[in-house]
Amino acid sequence: MPLVSVIMGIYNCADTLEEAVDCIINQSFKDWELIMCDDCSSDNTYEVALKIAENDSRIKILKNEKNLTLAPTLNKCASVAKGKYLARMDGDDICALDRFQKEIDVLECHPEYAVVSCQMNLFDDNGVYRVISHPDMPTSADLIKRSQFCHAGCMMRKDVFDSIFGYNESADYKRVEDYDLWARVYKAGYVGFNIQEPLYSMRDDRSAVSRRTFENRKNEIRVKMNIIKWFKLPICSYIHVLIPLTKVLIPGFVYKILHKIK
């Protein structure tokens, strides 16, 4: 029974998957299993994953019969996971080789934390251009501002994940499934912690920016409205509901420039 189950939804990442998995294989912490689920890729991602798994019995490969999107795919991975902790990783990203050990140390020493994450580098073909960070101990009031944990770099207690029924698979929470998850974690009475080191690096190129659609912004607003209601936040909190709307009105090329400047 591994201590950590890494869950990874993979989709059209054949060119980067091997590098991402290498970051897991070469972790200083070795007691893990990796569960990858291909979400009907149109390239040879599934074949690349199968070839990688041939060399390591800790790696399991699943495949969706049709494209389900991220939340259902990750829930499918979690449903067969055996670890005490669930760690996230994406097929086009990389992470520090001591990431798992540092996140495990936090969870093992602090039973009050349900989730732990870290600072995250954003990079493209030109290198790292931004570091995303959050408070070390976010409060429920912090949640209204934005998601308070970097999703792809997180590790979470599986029993807590199961107790709140995992990711919400409704289309109303597409692209904000992690934000909704953290809100429900806090609603259930748990808290989390952020390691103040960039242990994870996310590939965030032009295509990633283009996925931030009007529908996704509406879903973000839905989560924010839930947070205001669940935690009985003051009326001034509604200003944060307007922010996703203003982002919709910004032309794509301008948003990309601002995204990098920030």
Side-chain angles (χ1 to χ4, degrees):
M1 299 291 288
L3 186 65
V4 175
S5 295
V6 187
I7 56 175
M8 182 190 295
I10 52 177
Y11 179 73
N12 288 354
C13 56
D15 293 340
T16 59
L17 184 58
E18 187 171 359
E19 183 180 20
V21 174
D22 280 347
C23 290
I24 299 173
I25 292 174
N26 294 315
Q27 286 287 309
S28 59
F29 178 83
K30 301 297 184 183
D31 187 17
W32 51 262
E33 64 174 350
L34 169 60
I35 304 166
M36 292 189 281
C37 182
D38 180 70
D39 196 19
C40 286
S41 297
S42 58
D43 65 3
N44 64 328
T45 293
Y46 181 63
E47 289 73 22
V48 172
L50 289 176
K51 186 171 182 61
I52 293 172
E54 289 177 356
N55 301 315
D56 198 317
S57 61
R58 295 172 295 179
I59 302 176
K60 302 174 178 62
I61 310 299
L62 309 176
K63 184 175 176 61
N64 294 335
E65 294 300 320
K66 61 179 181 179
N67 184 266
L68 299 179
T69 71
L70 184 60
T73 300
L74 291 179
N75 281 340
K76 184 174 182 176
C77 292
S79 70
V80 300
K82 299 176 181 178
K84 178 181 178 181
Y85 303 125
L86 295 177
R88 279 281 291 112
M89 183 82 188
D90 282 336
D92 54 355
D93 297 339
I94 56 178
C95 68
L97 300 185
D98 58 353
R99 172 200 157 197
F100 287 178
Q101 188 62 65
K102 288 184 175 180
E103 292 179 340
I104 289 166
D105 288 345
V106 171
L107 292 172
E108 291 283 281
C109 294
H110 296 275
E112 69 273 23
Y113 298 144
V115 58
V116 60
S117 192
C118 57
Q119 293 180 334
M120 183 167 69
N121 293 325
L122 299 185
F123 74 98
D124 58 15
D125 293 340
N126 297 316
V128 174
Y129 63 85
R130 181 183 169 195
V131 178
I132 294 179
S133 60
H134 302 288
D136 55 355
M137 291 185 288
T139 66
S140 56
D142 290 323
L143 287 173
I144 190 59
K145 302 172 186 175
R146 58 173 176 160
S147 172
Q148 291 296 310
F149 302 95
C150 292
H151 182 210
C154 80
M155 185 178 290
M156 186 176 181
R157 298 185 189 277
K158 188 174 187 296
D159 59 349
V160 174
F161 180 87
D162 291 341
S163 72
I164 60 174
F165 307 105
Y167 293 97
N168 193 323
E169 298 185 8
S170 168
D172 289 341
Y173 296 92
K174 184 179 178 181
R175 297 287 179 198
V176 293
E177 53 276 314
D178 57 323
Y179 194 10
D180 168 71
L181 183 68
W182 312 142
R184 289 187 289 116
V185 164
Y186 273 65
K187 182 187 178 187
Y190 302 103
V191 295
F193 183 82
N194 285 307
I195 298 171
Q196 300 300 300
E197 294 180 60
L199 301 177
Y200 195 92
S201 296
M202 184 176 77
R203 197 180 307 272
D204 195 58
D205 55 16
R206 182 177 302 175
S207 63
V209 172
S210 68
R211 291 195 295 264
R212 298 178 175 94
T213 65
F214 177 67
E215 288 299 318
N216 298 340
R217 296 301 183 190
K218 280 174 44 179
N219 293 347
E220 182 181 354
I221 291 171
R222 185 174 288 108
V223 175
K224 289 180 181 294
M225 294 295 289
N226 287 341
I227 290 169
I228 290 173
K229 178 177 66 175
W230 292 343
F231 302 108
K232 298 180 172 59
L233 299 183
I235 194 169
C236 61
S237 302
Y238 283 94
I239 188 67
H240 294 285
V241 176
L242 299 176
I243 294 175
L245 288 176
T246 62
K247 291 180 179 178
V248 171
L249 301 176
I250 299 174
F253 74 94
V254 175
Y255 180 81
K256 187 171 187 288
I257 293 171
L258 294 175
H259 186 63
K260 288 197 172 187
I261 292 175
K262 182 177 180 181

